[in-house]
Amino acid sequence: MTVTRLLLLGPPGSGKGTQAEILARRLGIPQIATGDMLRAAVDAGSAVGRQAQGFMDRGELVPDDVVIGVAEARLMEPDAVKGFILDGFPRTPAQAEALDAMLERLRVSLECCLALHVDEEELVARLLRRAQIEGRSDDNEQTIRTRMQVYREKTQPLVDYYDRRGVLREVEGDGDIGEVASRIEEALRR
Ligand code: ADP
């Protein structure tokens, strides 16, 4: 059976965006990346963008109600009927509960939560490299440390949350993109 409703959990720099994109293409389902959607909202100068910008620049989480609204609207779009890969949502227990409620309304369930694990020093090094290449405004050392801390405090507990649901599959995220993609494929076959 092919998994078609999944979420990727991992700290900033763990490669979850890259892997979500690869998997979305392979499975033919949309990647739902709240970070990308929020950055687009900021660029467009929309109401959501104006609410999100300050938090994003500081490396803090955008308030739950704003992000939940963005994720819900996207999940309700017709292409998500065939499945989805959530990338960067949920990031807090309140968001995870909101997701449960959305999926219940859609009468579907989450089949798999892939958790990517990467050593923290490696993460910081990767993000600093990305900062030089892409120039993302939240990729500076101070913001990176804040995002790591926020991840540990707010998002890490979701690993247990999905473990208790019996949908967790853990994957080592070190190594190059192809290696991690193969590990994910293998984890999905387990
Ligand atoms: P990264 O995983 O490298 O931090 P993302 O693109 O996923 O990158 O997120 C960038 C920023 O967007 C986050 O630091 C946060 O401010 C905001 N953001 C994205 N998704 C969420 C979410 N689910 N809840 C709150 N804030 C979010």
Side-chain angles (χ1 to χ4, degrees):
M1 194 190 77
T2 322
V3 178
T4 54
R5 288 183 300 274
L6 57 160
L7 88 80
L8 263 171
L9 211 56
S14 60
K16 79 185 143 39
T18 306
Q19 297 298 333
E21 200 180 317
I22 293 173
L23 213 48
R25 214 174 310 129
R26 190 163 70 78
L27 299 173
I29 54 180
Q31 171 190 8
I32 300 184
T34 43
D36 291 346
M37 292 164 76
L38 292 169
R39 272 188 292 280
V42 169
D43 289 344
S46 68
V48 165
R50 286 194 300 276
Q51 284 170 287
Q53 184 161 26
F55 296 101
M56 294 178 77
D57 286 344
R58 291 189 297 273
E60 294 165 13
L61 292 183
V62 172
D64 283 335
D65 56 338
V66 176
V67 186
I68 289 168
V70 167
E72 175 153 31
R74 183 64 189 86
L75 267 175
M76 296 298 161
E77 281 179 37
D79 64 339
V81 169
K82 60 182 180 219
F84 50 79
I85 298 179
L86 289 165
D87 160 14
F89 179 89
R91 256 173 152 101
T92 64
Q95 292 179 19
E97 279 161 28
L99 174 64
D100 284 340
M102 287 175 217
L103 296 180
E104 209 167 296
R105 251 177 283 137
L106 291 168
R107 298 184 188 287
V108 296
S109 57
L110 192 75
E111 294 166 297
C112 172
C113 170
L114 284 166
L116 280 176
H117 294 287
V118 184
D119 168 79
E120 178 153 344
E121 285 315 305
E122 168 67 17
L123 291 173
V124 175
R126 283 186 190 180
L127 289 168
L128 288 172
R129 262 198 311 273
R130 182 169 83 185
Q132 285 179 333
I133 298 165
E134 291 179 15
R136 228 175 80 171
S137 64
D138 61 349
D139 278 345
N140 60 69
E141 182 142 17
Q142 180 54 49
T143 315
I144 289 170
R145 295 279 173 201
T146 306
R147 279 152 62 210
M148 292 297 169
Q149 191 184 346
V150 167
Y151 180 81
R152 263 196 312 271
E153 285 172 12
K154 309 253 171 77
T155 311
Q156 184 94 43
L158 298 185
V159 175
D160 282 342
Y161 183 89
Y162 290 107
D163 194 17
R164 286 196 299 273
R165 298 283 169 96
V167 295
L168 182 72
R169 299 186 207 185
E170 304 196 78
V171 176
E172 285 306 323
D174 61 312
D176 67 31
I177 293 173
E179 272 174 80
V180 180
S182 323
R183 272 182 224 137
I184 288 179
E185 261 185 58
E186 200 181 299
L188 290 178
R189 279 198 297 264
R190 286 207 287 265

